[in-house]
Amino acid sequence: MDFPTPLLRGKLIKRYKRFLADVELDNGDLVTAHCANSGSMLSCKDPGSEVWLSESDNPKRKLKYTWELIRIGTGLVGINTGLPNKLVAEAITDGTITELQGYATLKPEQKYGQNSRIDILLSDPDRPPCYVEVKNVTLMRDGSGLAEFPDAVTSRGTKHLQELTDMVAEGARAVMVYLVQREDCTRFRVATDIDPTYDRALKAAVEAGVETLCHACNLTPDGITVAKPLPITI
């Protein structure tokens, strides 16, 4: 996925009220950007960090800038949770995620479960439908190479696991994809200390037949692509 317009580099002043970030651009302008991430952003919000913003020309937007990337160490991390669904869909279409090949159609944001929407629905006349839920992963603590999810308690994420389990019980295939929007991780697990309820829900879902996949990303100010798979510890 290429960014449609060149990103603007700046320095993070602070992230606040969950969805706002103040940034000093390289040209000296002070701007407030939309932070499309409802998590705690633990490890990804240190003031003074190099960040990259996209700029919109939509006159109806309250904020013309969106925070896309932050530099942590020598690498970039994608913090925009609005992008992973598109990235995973592209990776399915181009064959990067090999486990999700062989379906005739791919549809995003389809209604299912308890008044929810599945991120991606894969369908084929010769196979059961495949329900794909995508989670954005940015957390890595202590430079360990260990990617973790979630970075805050997520009752919504737990609900999604139950709904995927329900789809398996109905004869469908269900897959939980963790997309690590960073390049410096070598493995993945649930942050059990942050949300033990989610950890228990994932273990129950896997035991019931829900599949899990994890992929890292390659990131530059020009674009983001899904890259190598990462091993998962459950």
Side-chain angles (χ1 to χ4, degrees):
M1 183 211 77
D2 294 331
F3 291 109
T5 58
L7 299 188
L8 303 174
R9 191 176 67 176
K11 179 175 68 177
L12 180 65
I13 298 173
K14 62 178 178 178
R15 182 246 189 166
Y16 59 104
K17 294 183 180 179
R18 293 176 71 191
F19 300 112
L20 299 176
D22 287 344
V23 174
E24 180 182 357
L25 297 178
D26 279 0
N27 65 6
D29 290 348
L30 298 178
V31 302
T32 298
H34 175 55
C35 176
N37 192 315
S38 61
S40 73
M41 292 182 61
L42 180 64
S43 82
C44 295
K45 58 180 180 181
D46 290 345
S49 298
E50 176 188 301
V51 296
W52 295 80
L53 310 181
S54 58
E55 183 177 8
S56 172
D57 58 3
N58 184 350
K60 296 182 179 180
R61 282 190 47 156
K62 291 182 179 180
L63 298 172
K64 66 185 296 186
Y65 300 102
T66 299
W67 181 8
E68 303 287 355
L69 306 171
I70 183 170
R71 187 172 298 282
I72 298 178
T74 60
L76 294 171
V77 177
I79 64 93
N80 187 342
T81 59
L83 299 182
N85 291 3
K86 180 179 179 180
L87 290 167
V88 170
E90 288 183 354
I92 295 171
T93 301
D94 67 18
T96 298
I97 302 180
T98 58
E99 297 89 345
L100 297 178
Q101 301 304 298
Y103 293 90
T105 60
L106 182 157
K107 295 182 180 179
E109 295 292 325
Q110 298 298 297
K111 292 182 179 180
Y112 89 120
Q114 303 171 24
N115 199 27
S116 295
R117 289 181 179 271
I118 191 67
D119 291 326
I120 297 170
L121 177 61
L122 301 173
S123 302
D124 190 89
D126 298 324
R127 306 174 67 178
C130 180
Y131 293 82
V132 181
E133 183 71 26
V134 181
K135 296 301 181 188
N136 187 59
V137 181
T138 59
L139 176 60
M140 182 183 74
R141 294 183 272 191
D142 303 324
S144 62
L146 176 63
E148 297 180 276
F149 178 89
D151 64 5
V153 173
T154 174
S155 57
R156 185 167 178 263
T158 298
K159 173 174 174 279
H160 289 159
L161 288 172
Q162 181 57 59
E163 289 175 329
L164 290 177
T165 301
D166 292 343
M167 294 301 101
V168 172
E170 293 179 11
R173 185 185 179 194
V175 183
M176 182 74 248
V177 177
Y178 296 98
L179 187 67
V180 181
Q181 277 204 76
R182 50 193 304 161
E183 298 176 322
D184 55 357
C185 294
T186 58
R187 61 199 193 283
F188 170 85
R189 75 176 181 194
V190 171
T192 56
D193 59 319
I194 293 176
D195 194 343
T197 300
Y198 184 86
D199 179 55
R200 290 192 294 270
L202 178 61
K203 289 174 179 175
V206 169
E207 186 174 347
V210 175
E211 302 169 46
T212 57
L213 299 173
C214 182
H215 276 259
C217 290
N218 293 329
L219 304 99
T220 75
D222 296 319
I224 305 173
T225 56
V226 177
K228 65 181 179 181
L230 300 182
I232 301 173
T233 300
I234 297 176

